[in-house]
């Protein structure tokens, strides 16, 4: 009997219940920890709780859940009773508490709670006894409300105390994805699509034989197939390459879900619940890829901020102060460059923050602008950040040459370039209109 951690995302929970039963039956000799997301769209609805009346909000949740219950649960009376308690609780907390970031987390957590209760009944009706454990008791997180990262040491202690003993008595344990709690016991969320992270956190504390994340796509592709229709499935890949890929825009996996895996060689498989014939993508700690370039990604929802000035060279602390302004808003910077002439700093942030950051930078550097050390602080949101990823690019010459020659020949202009010394990825910025052409060309030539 081996232990496996299975995670089912929103689409699987909503439309893949038959497949979930098949998967559990294939694993009837194993112990399973099953992590569930909310039904599709539920978290989006909960997110708008302050814009909807409580009655409408609960009506929408009920509509989605009842659709499932009517189709798949034969004796739903008890289940409805339990769900009604949850809906009433939810209504009560929204009604009595002032809107706050803490309340947001509590409200958001009801999606996963409902899923777990519904599946507890559904599995029991299909003769699979199972135990429910709320993940607030398992995953200890920082206090960053809806974007909290787990503390691994405390989480491990909780998992040892509350989950491990139950695995001796129960073959199937169901738990909520996405939810944890802070050190005061208040509910926190692991950022959107965080159930992948729940699976890897719980998995890394227990060392199962495998973690399988079920999605509605075949796995990780060499490029987004909506942009490059001939993109191929990546069959096997290592942890480092996959984290580069998730970070730079492959949205198949949560971008932080590999972090808990550091030094724990647990195989992670991503599979399409609706396509049994696809082998999925297997992520192994030490897999050595045979190709030079493994994948291409591109993101278009970012804007480029350019801080320019002939008087900027030798101006110490400038970058620090720019970054401080951006950090005040808790904004991530996936791309940054400064050439050694020091007359221009270019960085990318999500486009929705660009205006406010520009205004704050202009205020902060009022004096420098006045004395012409800084000439301008501009935004361009008409850009795409393309990243070429490959573990074998390290110590290999000529790749950057091929990339830029290929684009140059087709008159695609490169606006900025960034490559870290780990040499696993090269990112560059092009005009948005050139994005697809660049991806198609590069995929054909280097992949
Ligand atoms: N329900 C949460 C979301 O939609 C978490 C998840 O699905 O992984 O973001
Ligand atoms: Mg989801």
């Amino acid at each position: 009997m081996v232990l496996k951690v299975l995670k089912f995302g929103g689409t699987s929970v909503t439309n893949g219940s038959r497949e979930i039963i098949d998967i559990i039956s294939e694993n009837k000799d194993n112990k399973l920890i099953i992590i569930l997301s909310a039904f599709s769209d539920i978290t989006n609805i909960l997110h708008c709780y302050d814009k909807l009346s409580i009655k409408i909000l609960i009506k929408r949740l009920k509509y989605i859940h009842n659709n499932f219950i009517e189709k798949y649960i034969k004796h739903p009376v008890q289940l409805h009773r339990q769900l009604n308690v949850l809906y009433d609780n939810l209504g009560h907390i929204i009604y009595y508490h002032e809107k706050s970031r803490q309340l947001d987390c509590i409200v958001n957590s009801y999606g996963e709670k409902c899923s777990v209760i519904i599946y507890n009944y559904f599995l029991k009706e299909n003769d699979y006894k199972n135990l429910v454990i709320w993940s607030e008791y398992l995953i200890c997180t920082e206090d960053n409300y809806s974007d909290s990262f787990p503390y691994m040491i405390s989480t491990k202690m909780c998992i040892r105390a509350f989950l491990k003993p139950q695995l001796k008595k129960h073959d199937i344990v169901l738990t909520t994805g996405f939810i944890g709690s802070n050190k005061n016991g208040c509910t926190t969320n692991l950022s959107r699509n965080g159930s992948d992270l729940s699976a890897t956190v719980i998995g890394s504390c227990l060392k199962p034989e495998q973690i399988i994340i079920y999605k509605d796509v075949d796995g990780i592709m060499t490029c987004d197939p909506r942009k490059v229709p001939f993109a191929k499935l990546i069959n096997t890949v290592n942890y480092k390459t996959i984290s580069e890929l998730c970070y730079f825009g492959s949205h198949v996996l949560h971008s932080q879900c590999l972090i808990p895996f550091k030094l724990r060689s647990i195989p992670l498989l991503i599979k399409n619940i609706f396509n049994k014939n696809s082998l999925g993508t297997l992520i192994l700690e030490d897999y050595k890829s045979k190709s030079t370039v493994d994948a291409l990604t591109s993101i278009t929802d970012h804007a480029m901020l350019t801080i320019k000035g002939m008087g900027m060279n030798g101006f110490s602390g400038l970058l620090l102060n720019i970054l401080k302004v951006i950090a005040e808003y808790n904004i991530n910077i996936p791309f940054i460059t400064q050439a050694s002439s020091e007359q221009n700093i270019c960085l990318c942030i999500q486009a929705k923050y660009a205006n406010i950051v520009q205004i704050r930078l202009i205020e902060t550097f009022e004096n420098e602008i006045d004395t012409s050390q800084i000439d301008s602080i501009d935004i361009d949101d008409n850009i795409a950040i393309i990243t070429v990823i490959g573990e074998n690019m390290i110590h290999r010459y000529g790749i950057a040459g091929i990339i830029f020659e290929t684009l140059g020949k087709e008159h695609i202009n490169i606006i900025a370039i960034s490559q870290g010394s780990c040499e696993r990825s090269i990112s560059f910025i092009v005009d948005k209109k050139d994005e697809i052409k660049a991806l198609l060309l590069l995929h054909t030539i280097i992949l």
Side-chain angles (χ1 to χ4, degrees):
M1 202 172 227
V2 298
L3 173 66
K4 287 190 185 177
V5 172
L6 311 181
K7 182 249 154 170
F8 296 102
T11 345
S12 310
V13 169
T14 313
N15 301 317
S17 58
R18 286 285 134 220
E19 288 78 1
I20 293 180
I21 292 293
D22 289 346
I23 292 164
I24 293 177
S25 102
E26 285 157 18
N27 279 290
K28 62 178 182 305
D29 296 328
N30 297 328
K31 295 256 176 202
L32 299 178
I33 298 172
I34 299 181
I35 292 151
L36 300 178
S37 288
F39 280 68
S40 299
D41 233 20
I42 292 279
T43 313
N44 294 337
I45 297 172
L46 289 169
H47 247 68
C48 304
Y49 75 92
D50 53 339
K51 295 181 194 74
L52 298 171
S53 76
I54 296 174
K55 228 172 145 188
I56 303 240
L57 178 89
I58 292 176
K59 204 170 156 190
R60 290 206 186 160
L61 302 190
K62 277 190 178 165
Y63 178 80
I64 295 176
H65 292 145
N66 288 352
N67 249 339
F68 180 92
I69 295 170
E70 274 160 28
K71 265 198 228 145
Y72 298 110
I73 310 267
K74 283 186 228 105
H75 307 289
V77 181
Q78 251 327 85
L79 168 59
H80 279 307
R81 245 182 239 148
Q82 235 178 304
L83 283 175
N84 283 336
V85 173
L86 276 193
Y87 297 139
D88 288 347
N89 276 345
L90 177 63
H92 180 88
I93 58 163
I94 297 175
Y95 188 75
Y96 279 108
H97 295 267
E98 257 177 35
K99 185 177 163 23
S100 66
R101 295 179 70 197
Q102 190 60 59
L103 182 63
D104 291 352
C105 295
I106 299 172
V107 170
N108 287 341
S109 71
Y110 274 75
E112 271 66 14
K113 290 200 167 126
C114 292
S115 289
V116 160
I117 290 188
I118 294 170
Y119 267 79
N120 168 253
Y121 277 83
F122 175 65
L123 296 190
K124 277 198 280 190
E125 282 201 353
N126 282 277
D127 294 329
Y128 292 109
K129 282 195 206 135
N130 63 89
L131 175 78
V132 169
I133 302 184
W134 302 120
S135 58
E136 277 120 316
Y137 298 116
L138 304 178
I139 298 192
C140 311
T141 74
E142 343 161 292
D143 204 0
N144 205 10
Y145 303 101
S146 294
D147 191 12
S148 295
F149 198 80
Y151 287 128
M152 291 308 295
I153 295 174
S154 340
T155 299
K156 201 177 209 169
M157 275 163 30
C158 288
I159 287 183
R160 286 213 177 123
F162 301 116
L163 176 57
K164 233 174 166 182
Q166 298 299 344
L167 285 170
K168 293 206 176 93
K169 297 184 235 153
H170 301 271
D171 289 340
I172 303 177
V173 173
L174 285 190
T175 189
T176 38
F178 182 52
I179 317 169
S181 63
N182 67 13
K183 60 176 180 301
N184 301 322
C186 297
T187 302
T188 53
N189 302 152
L190 307 184
S191 81
R192 289 306 304 266
N193 302 315
S195 308
D196 291 350
L197 179 57
S198 309
T200 55
V201 167
I202 294 176
S204 70
C205 294
L206 288 168
K207 258 210 148 239
E209 192 193 64
Q210 195 174 42
I211 300 176
I212 311 179
I213 295 189
Y214 287 92
K215 301 261 170 189
D216 55 358
V217 293
D218 283 348
I220 312 263
M221 310 286 284
T222 49
C223 193
D224 184 338
R226 287 163 302 185
K227 295 177 179 171
V228 175
F230 46 89
K232 295 169 279 185
L233 180 70
I234 302 179
N235 298 113
T236 316
V237 64
N238 66 33
Y239 286 1
K240 285 206 176 107
T241 309
I242 209 76
S243 5
E244 297 264 0
L245 247 161
C246 296
Y247 190 71
F248 282 113
S250 163
H251 296 298
V252 175
L253 264 190
H254 186 276
S255 65
Q256 292 170 317
C257 82
L258 268 292
I259 298 176
F261 269 21
K262 258 192 261 159
L263 306 177
R264 321 236 19 169
S265 28
I266 305 165
L268 173 66
L269 179 64
I270 302 167
K271 271 198 75 111
N272 187 344
I273 190 161
F274 303 111
N275 182 7
K276 274 198 149 187
N277 297 329
S278 164
L279 293 176
T281 299
L282 179 62
I283 308 170
L284 300 172
E285 183 172 21
D286 295 322
Y287 178 75
K288 273 245 136 286
S289 168
K290 287 169 198 71
S291 34
T292 313
V293 171
D294 295 310
L296 287 175
T297 64
S298 82
I299 39 184
T300 50
D301 60 350
H302 280 58
M304 183 175 70
L305 265 169
T306 306
I307 298 103
K308 249 192 283 185
M310 292 212 290
M312 274 169 44
N313 57 340
F315 177 172
S316 68
L318 176 64
L319 188 56
L320 175 70
N321 288 325
I322 295 173
L323 298 183
K324 260 192 192 159
V325 169
I326 298 176
E328 268 171 31
Y329 294 93
N330 222 344
I331 296 171
N332 184 40
I333 306 173
F335 184 103
I336 180 160
T337 65
Q338 186 201 258
S340 56
S341 65
E342 298 180 53
Q343 308 215 338
N344 161 343
I345 293 171
C346 154
L347 47 87
C348 292
I349 57 175
Q350 276 196 322
K352 61 181 178 197
Y353 301 120
N355 283 323
I356 179 79
V357 169
Q358 184 191 34
I359 294 169
R360 280 285 293 123
L361 286 173
I362 292 175
E363 280 167 11
T364 309
F365 295 107
E366 204 185 347
N367 285 339
E368 289 75 4
I369 295 171
D370 206 12
T371 54
S372 296
Q373 272 173 297
I374 294 179
D375 295 332
S376 61
I377 299 177
D378 299 320
I379 315 175
D380 183 354
D381 59 5
N382 211 10
I383 54 140
I385 311 175
I386 297 187
T387 304
V388 179
I389 297 160
E391 57 161 312
N392 292 329
M393 295 196 314
I394 304 173
H395 306 317
R396 197 58 81 90
Y397 55 79
I399 310 296
I402 297 173
I403 296 171
F404 297 122
E405 191 189 344
T406 306
L407 300 177
K409 274 190 187 151
E410 292 298 321
H411 308 287
I412 295 174
N413 178 41
I414 311 293
I415 300 170
I417 304 173
S418 155
Q419 186 203 267
S421 56
C422 74
E423 297 182 62
R424 280 172 193 282
S425 61
I426 303 175
S427 293
F428 51 89
I429 297 180
V430 295
D431 194 291
K432 224 179 231 170
K433 72 171 183 349
D434 292 327
E435 181 209 5
I436 304 293
K437 189 172 166 195
L439 290 175
L440 291 169
L441 274 166
L442 290 176
H443 201 288
T444 313
I445 305 278
I446 58 177
L447 265 150

